[in-house]
Amino acid sequence: MTFDAHTRAHGPATPMPRSALIAALEERLASDPEAMDAFLAAHEFPLAEPPLYTFVYRGPAEGVRLRHWVHGLQTSAPFRRIAGTDLWCYTFELPDESRVEYKVEVLRHGRAEWVQDPLNPLHARDPFGANSVVQARGYEIPDWTREDAEAPAGVLDELVVESGVLRSARHVSVYRPAEFRATRSYPLLIVHDGADYVEYASLRQVLDQLIRRFEIPEIVVALLHPGDRMSEYAADPGHARFVVDELLPRLERDYPLLPGAESRGLMGASLGAVASFHAALRYPGRFGRLLLQSGSFVFTDIGDNERGPVFDRTVAMMNAYRAEPAPLAEKAFVSVGVYEALVSENRALIPVLRRGGVDVRFVESRDGHNWENWRDRLREGLSWLFPGPLWMVYE
C-alpha cells in the first residue's frame, strides 16, 4: 500500500509490497530459530528499504494494526505474523521526504491498546500525548529548530490582560529578542495557541535561530493562550475584538512597536489559522501579514460543515469571503500537509485570496495535521513575511 494517498487510495486492490529484509529473515528462521534476536539488534525500525518501510512488533497478541492519520487511506492496517514466531510486520510504500505519525494497536484478550512503537525511538509530542514517527528518505529535522548555544535566547514576559469583551483576565506571553532595546521599534507577530507553538513546534528556538542568522528581523511575538478554544477561535467576533481593541493597545503601550500594517502579523494553525484569518478580515488594514497553517477553512461545497456546529460561523465567513474576496492582508503564507483532511480546503482558498489582492505563498508538505509539520514550515513562512537583513540584501 502506498501513502501517495490521493492517487491510489480508492483504486483497485494492489498486491501488498514485501520487504526483502523480512523475506531474508524468514528464510534464516527456518534453520536458525535464534536469528530473530540478532536481526532485531542489528536493525533500526521501521525498516527502511526506500520506497518501502516495514513496521515490526514483537510480542504475544491476537492481532496488531498500524494506526495513522493519513487522509485518503484506511486509518488501520493489519500486520502479518511471521509463522512460528511472535514477530509481526507490515510494509507500505512511502514517498521520499515524507513524515508520518502513527501508533501501534495491539489486540490482547479481546481488548485493543494503542501504544507507541516499542522498536522506534522517534516520537513527536502534542497536547494529547505522543506518537511514533516514520521519516522517509530525504526528510531531515531542520537544524534551525534545535537549541543552539550560539543563538542568544529571547526572553518571555508574562502579561495579564483584563478583557471586558471576553469577561475574564487573559494570560499572554510575549517573546522579546535577546538584544531588545526600548529605544528601537519592532515588528509584531500575534500567535494563536502560542504555548503549544513553543512547547511542540520549538517556536522560541526557531525565533532565536532565525534572528541570529539575520533571516528575520528582531521581532516581538505575543503568544496567546485561549480560554474556550473551540468557540473563541472559530470566527468569534468577541475574540477578534479582544485582539484588536484590548490586546493590541496593551502591547503598543508596553513595547516599542512599528506602527504600519506591514509590520504587524497574525499566525495560527488549524482553528488558530481561522482565528487569524477572521481577525484580519474583520479589522482590515490592521494586519498586513498572515501565517496560516492547515487552516480549518470549511466551505459549504467542500466539507459542508461535516465537522459539526462549532464550524457554523467559519462556514458563513468563508462562504461570504469566497463570494466577495477582499484584501484582508498584503501577504499571506499558507501551508498544509498533503496527508491531512484539510488539504482540499486550503488549496481552494489560494485562488480566492489572490482574487482579493493578497500576495500568497502556498506550500504543501508530505506530512499530516501536526505540530512538527507546522514547525518545519516556520522558516520559510516567517522569513517571507518578515524578511531580515539577509534576505533584504540577497533576494
Side-chain angles (χ1 to χ4, degrees):
M1 182 179 295
T2 176
F3 267 37
D4 214 347
H6 300 283
T7 58
R8 295 174 58 188
H10 304 292
T14 57
M16 294 297 292
R18 299 298 295 267
S19 162
L21 291 172
I22 292 296
L25 172 63
E26 291 183 274
E27 288 186 11
R28 289 179 59 194
L29 286 172
S31 58
D32 180 9
E34 305 299 322
M36 186 186 300
D37 289 337
F39 179 85
L40 294 177
H43 292 87
E44 296 181 350
F45 297 90
L47 294 169
E49 303 164 88
L52 300 183
Y53 294 82
T54 300
F55 298 84
V56 173
Y57 177 83
R58 186 181 190 183
E62 297 158 20
V64 180
R65 303 184 73 88
L66 179 72
R67 289 284 186 173
H68 60 77
W69 294 271
V70 175
H71 179 61
L73 294 182
Q74 293 182 351
T75 59
S76 175
F79 284 48
R80 174 179 66 90
R81 185 171 67 84
I82 295 177
T85 75
D86 61 354
L87 196 70
W88 303 74
C89 63
Y90 174 73
T91 301
F92 63 69
E93 295 180 31
L94 189 57
D96 288 353
E97 299 183 355
S98 294
R99 181 186 168 281
V100 173
E101 297 189 9
Y102 69 95
K103 278 191 167 71
V104 176
E105 181 184 49
V106 183
L107 182 65
R108 297 191 191 95
H109 310 298
R111 297 183 60 184
E113 180 184 10
W114 291 26
V115 299
Q116 293 180 54
D117 186 341
L119 295 177
N120 182 3
L122 295 178
H123 68 273
R125 298 182 304 117
D126 62 32
F128 306 102
N131 296 314
S132 294
V133 179
V134 55
Q135 299 173 351
R137 177 177 58 191
Y139 173 84
E140 294 183 3
I141 298 173
D143 61 349
W144 43 265
T145 69
R146 304 179 189 276
E147 198 82 45
D148 184 351
E150 295 185 6
V155 175
L156 288 180
D157 299 333
E158 302 300 332
L159 305 183
V160 175
V161 181
E162 296 291 340
S163 174
V165 175
L166 300 177
R167 299 181 181 179
S168 63
R170 289 308 170 102
H171 172 214
V172 179
S173 304
V174 179
Y175 170 94
R176 287 188 287 115
E179 303 299 327
F180 177 86
R181 298 290 183 271
T183 54
R184 301 176 184 172
S185 295
Y186 298 89
L188 171 68
L189 177 63
I190 296 175
V191 180
H192 291 87
D193 295 312
D196 288 341
Y197 265 105
V198 170
E199 182 71 17
Y200 306 114
S202 306
L203 179 58
R204 186 185 61 77
Q205 291 91 334
V206 170
L207 292 169
D208 291 343
Q209 287 260 35
L210 296 185
I211 290 171
R212 181 181 72 87
R213 297 179 182 205
F214 302 108
E215 297 190 21
I216 64 172
E218 294 183 323
I219 187 170
V220 171
V221 181
L223 308 167
L224 303 188
H225 306 267
D228 182 354
R229 181 180 184 274
M230 295 298 291
S231 175
E232 292 172 11
Y233 282 8
D236 175 36
H239 172 75
R241 186 178 167 195
F242 162 72
V243 169
V244 174
D245 291 342
E246 296 179 329
L247 174 61
L248 196 52
R250 171 66 182 276
L251 295 172
E252 290 173 333
R253 187 191 78 192
D254 290 1
Y255 298 91
L257 302 176
L258 292 167
E262 70 278 1
S263 299
R264 306 283 176 91
L266 293 166
M267 169 175 145
S270 194
L271 269 181
V274 172
S276 299
F277 183 101
H278 176 251
L281 181 63
R282 194 170 181 85
Y283 294 89
R286 298 296 188 94
F287 302 97
R289 304 289 185 265
L290 293 178
L291 202 163
L292 310 174
Q293 300 192 284
S294 303
S296 302
F297 298 119
V298 184
F299 309 152
T300 294
D301 57 340
I302 301 180
D304 197 18
N305 203 14
E306 63 188 20
R307 293 171 179 84
V310 71
F311 286 95
D312 285 346
R313 288 195 303 259
T314 304
V315 171
M317 174 184 70
M318 298 311 300
N319 286 347
Y321 185 77
R322 293 183 78 202
E324 295 185 35
L328 74 168
E330 179 187 352
K331 299 176 72 173
F333 179 88
V334 182
S335 69
V336 69
V338 298
Y339 299 149
E340 56 179 298
L342 291 162
V343 64
S344 295
E345 289 89 336
N346 281 265
R347 287 171 176 165
L349 177 63
I350 304 310
V352 182
L353 286 170
R354 288 175 174 152
R355 287 200 302 272
V358 182
D359 183 8
V360 182
R361 178 171 290 188
F362 179 52
V363 173
E364 295 185 359
S365 59
R366 291 193 179 275
D367 208 325
H369 195 79
N370 60 70
W371 285 101
E372 293 194 5
N373 177 18
W374 303 329
R375 175 200 67 191
D376 291 356
R377 315 278 85 79
L378 287 177
R379 178 181 184 239
E380 184 173 1
L382 290 171
S383 64
W384 186 68
L385 295 173
F386 298 97
L390 178 68
W391 300 130
M392 293 174 71
V393 170
Y394 290 103
E395 282 202 339

